[in-house]
Amino acid sequence: MKRTELERRERDLRKMEKKKITPGEKESMSVGDYIDGLFGLFRYDEEEIFNASDDEDVLEMLENMKGEHPEKQWDVIIRKAVNKTKVAQKDKAYESLRILAGIQPVTT
């Protein structure tokens, strides 16, 4: 990753810290907060996301997401976070995250 990309991520994480929930406010993160949070945790290059299947922080974020949002939004959050990375192997990362979160495959 480029230095500017790392600096942008650090700025985004600082912004998220500032937006932390204060007592008396809304107690859960929005869908957009989860998308940005997952995106901020990913380590990737142009080809793939390296920590999509084995990072404890990613797993914790996914578990929190499952507790705060209905099941129909889980796929949206994961897919948008993966798409935000613009990696070539999006489907592989998406499936790894679905498995990590314990989400059943979509049957049509």
Side-chain angles (χ1 to χ4, degrees):
M1 276 185 281
K2 295 181 180 178
R3 191 176 111 218
T4 55
E5 175 71 16
L6 291 173
E7 290 170 350
R8 185 187 57 75
R9 280 186 169 188
E10 289 173 3
R11 283 193 309 273
D12 289 344
L13 289 174
R14 282 194 303 267
K15 286 179 187 177
M16 285 179 55
E17 286 295 321
K18 283 183 179 180
K19 290 182 179 180
K20 283 270 180 176
I21 301 163
T22 58
E25 285 188 15
K26 182 177 167 187
E27 302 230 353
S28 64
M29 292 172 57
S30 71
V31 171
D33 291 339
Y34 276 108
I35 292 168
D36 292 340
L38 278 174
F39 173 70
L41 293 174
F42 291 152
R43 300 292 170 241
Y44 60 94
D45 63 7
E46 293 83 22
E47 285 297 312
E48 66 180 317
I49 298 174
F50 301 112
N51 63 340
S53 62
D54 59 357
D55 191 307
E56 289 181 16
D57 293 331
V58 173
L59 176 61
E60 183 178 339
M61 178 82 65
L62 291 171
E63 291 299 320
N64 291 340
M65 170 198 72
K66 287 171 63 177
E68 293 181 6
H69 292 284
E71 189 171 346
K72 65 181 183 177
Q73 291 181 331
W74 299 348
D75 277 336
V76 173
I77 293 169
I78 293 171
R79 183 160 308 274
K80 286 190 176 192
V82 169
N83 286 344
K84 203 169 181 181
T85 63
K86 298 181 180 158
V87 296
Q89 298 178 10
K90 290 178 178 141
D91 292 332
K92 178 183 171 188
Y94 174 69
E95 288 304 319
S96 298
L97 288 165
R98 284 178 53 83
I99 291 168
L100 184 64
I103 301 171
Q104 297 299 318
V106 177
T107 56
T108 55

